[in-house]
Each structure stands twice: as C-alpha cells, then as structure tokens.
Amino acid sequence: MLVSITSTTPDATDLGYLLHKHPERVRSVDVGFGKAHVFYPEAAPERCTATLLVEVDPIGLSRRRKGAQGQGLEPYVNDRPYVASSMLSVALGRLFGSAMAGSCETRPELVDRVLELEIELPVVPVRGGEDVLRRLFEPLGYDVSCSSVPLDESFPGWGDSRYFAVVLKGSHPVRRALEHLFVLLPVLDDRKHYWIGQDEIEKLLRRGGDWLPEHPDVELIARRYLRFGGLAREALARLSEDVNDVDVVDEQHDRAEAEVERPLSLNEQRMRAVIDAVVAAGGGRVVDLGCGEGRLLQRLVAEGSVSRVLGIDVSIGALGRAEKRLRLDEMSERRRERVQLLQGALTYTDARIVGFDVATVIEVIEHLDLERLDVFARVLFGHAAPATAIVTTPNQEYNVHFDRLGPTALRHGDHRFEWTRSQFREWAASISEQYSYVPEFFPIGPEDQETGPPTQMAVFRRVAEAKP
Ligand code: SAH
C-alpha cells in the first residue's frame, strides 16, 4: 500500500525538512504489522514527492490477532497488503508523527507554511463510494479526482472493483494534510480497525482538533473513526464546546449515516426485519416500547397496514428528538391523529399501552437491570398483552467480531447485560409459558456459522384463548 505526497511550491525539496526524511535516503521502519519505507521518487526545486510504502505481513498480522479470525483463507489472503487502509494511517502516525505534531527544528518557519500539495492514493477502499470521498475531502479544500480500479485490467468484462484511485489537490501546511489522511483513511476503510486501544479518542482529538469541529460531516467521521457509538459520543462532546450540540450533531449523523450506509448498516437491517415482522403480524395498532429517537416510529407511520402508532420512552430527550424526526408539527391532521409520543417506564404497569395489536421492544431489554426483567415481562405480556410482541437484543456471541471489545465487554456503556442465543431463548421460552405466548426466533444481520448473527429477534404470538 502506498501514498505519495508531492509539493509543487518552490523550493519543493523543503518537503524533506518537514517530513524529517532526507530526499536522498530511503528510510525503513518496522511498524508492527510489516515494514514501512519512505523514499523520494523525485526531488527537484519545482516538484518534490515523498512516498510512503507499507509492506504488510498478513500472516504475521493474522497470528497476532486473537479471537477475531476470519474464515478459511481470508486471514491470509486479503486486500490488506494493497489498499490504503487504517493501517496506512497507523504507518503515517509512526513515520510522520513529529511532522504532524509540527516540529521542525532545522526550519521551524516551514511548519505552518501553506504548500501546493498533491496527494496520490493509488488504491483506496471507499465505503459509501465517490460521494463519501467527496464529502470528506472537498470541505477541507481539496480538489478530488478519482477513478474506479478495474477488477482485472486483462478482463475488462469483469467490471470495476470496489477500490478507487484517488488524487487530492489542495493548499495546506504539510502537517495539516497529514492529519487529514491520518483521520480520514480509517473513515474510508470499510473494514474494522484491527488495532485495539483505549487512546483512540485522544488520537482523534489530537489529530483533528483544529479542523474537525468545522467539518460538515464531523459526526460521520467520529462515528466511523471510533466505530462504536459510546466513544464517538464522548469525542463529539469534547469536540464541540456546547454539549447540547451533540444531540443535534447526533441527529444529523443518524440521518447522514442512514443515507450513506444503507446497504451496510446493521440498524437498517434491524429496522427492516422488524417492519417485516410487524406487517406479517397484520399491522394494526402498534406500540413501540423504548422508542428512543423514533427511528422505527418513522417507518411505522409510513406503513399502510399500521393504523395507529404510539412511542413510549423514559427519556424526555429521546422523545424530543423523536418529535423532530417525525416532524409532528408539520404533519397533516389525519396523520397526526395516528401518532403519539408518551413518556413512561417499562417497569410499571401502564394502562396507556393496553389494547395494541403489536408491541415492539427494539434493543431495549439489555438496558434494563436483570432483576427488573420479570417486572417488565409482567407489564408487557401479562398486562399490555398485545397479540404479537417483537423483541430484539444483541447476540453476545457475535462480539468476538468486534476487535475493540474484549471478551467480556458490552457493546454499549448503558447495557446491563448481553445474552447469547441460548440465554435469550431460555428467557423467551420461560415467559412464553408463563403468559401463554409462542416465540419464534430470527437472526438479524450477517450470520456467522459459529457465533450466529449480531442481533437476535424473537416474535411472540399470544395463544388465542379458548372460546367458552
Ligand atoms: N428502540 C430504539 C431505542 C433503543 S435504545 C431503537 O431501536 O432505536 C434504548 C431505549 O430504551 C432508550 O431510548 C432508553 O431511554 C429506553 N429505556 C431504557 N430503559 C427504559 C425503561 N425502563 N422504560 C422505558 N424506556 C427505557
């Protein structure tokens, strides 16, 4: 994998001072997952190019990764050696860390000098395609050109690969351009980071603190860079002075991510699976318990077979965002009558949730204390007693696929527990028996042979009471 940085501002060879690497020498460093080399294919006063080449050792890399192995040959034969990925970002940090930090003892006046730069990335995986690439780099002032890399040049009929050849042109101090690459390469990468570290937020703040808060896609960048909601939320809070903005940013993010990651997002797959189950159950009056920011409500409202929608959540903040998302104030009178949001807790019986055809409880039970689950089951199955209840929760077995999580870690800071498939089935079976329901189980998201899917769903149908 490689990246080339060219300066065309005379004297272009100043680049050598800035990068702390002498244009006439090749420098090689071990970066843990392979070797990185810096060299200068051209070094003239009008044009000087520094190239960082990283040779990845996929076998060594795979051996060092415990717990999260791919299937079959995948850990050994993959695109990692060739594409500009999050690993290239790590190598940039290792080789140009002091340049990024703005240290240049011999020529300190160069550090903040704006240079005409060309950055060439011959093979980049771009999650979200050209649109995302432009959204990330154009607001930073780059002129972006990109072309798809064919799968195989000798067989044009095979079409294009999912990789792009990218050239970025812009005027920046070198350190700033390095920061842009350092933060945005992992954001473009469509595979999870392979490294594990608690210092990821610090890195993001250190490398992006000067330019990231103003970036229109700051939330997408933080989410993808940090991969997990909790960390991203904290980083966003620290990037923006006013913590209240985070909610707004979060909401914008949700929309941006929903648009960009439609084919990939687990959330999207979950929403579709739940909507399908609601429709299969016949729709009618639906109550969404723990509705959060109303992602499901929004879809329920648009569903023809659903006649009434009630969202309940304990969090006023979440309900406020749901109201905005649903644009309740702009809704026609007729639609408005079908939708309602109420504050309430799932651990108290509540007459307002009785009389519904379907109840949905999406990614909520894991937020309840285990010892409160019995009460929740009584409230839902014993008291509200919908004809159909749809419950989803993370499948804990799948967590080994998230490098960032240790073997016992949970996916979200507020999760009280995460269940394996058998734990979920056991719970579902026992309450079904107690309250006369029949459960059926469905996977959501990509199903792994050993661990199963990332999300598990149970659809409970109430057993019809025998007529007297
Ligand atoms: N169902 C939504 C939100 C899931 S997050 C979605 O899929 O997007 C979990 C939600 O459960 C949060 O909005 C939280 O406020 C809510 N919640 C947690 N404990 C609750 C309780 N005891 N009563 C009601 N809502 C609760």
Side-chain angles (χ1 to χ4, degrees), residues 1 3 29 31 33 35-38 52-55 85-97 100 182 194-195:
M1 63 172 85
V3 54
V29 170
V31 283
F33 46 84
K35 268 211 143 99
H37 315 276
V38 181
L52 169 65
L53 168 82
V54 184
E55 292 180 296
S85 65
S86 45
M87 285 187 210
L88 187 55
S89 164
V90 177
L92 276 170
R94 287 288 289 279
L95 276 132
F96 300 135
M100 248 187 273
F182 181 84
Y194 76 95
W195 74 82

Side-chain angles (χ1 to χ4, degrees), residues 348-371:
Y348 294 91
T349 50
D350 187 338
R352 299 171 302 178
I353 63 172
V354 178
F356 283 83
D357 301 299
V358 181
T360 50
V361 193
I362 308 310
E363 306 295 285
V364 174
I365 58 170
E366 63 277 6
H367 292 267
L368 306 177
D369 289 326
L370 265 174
E371 56 275 19

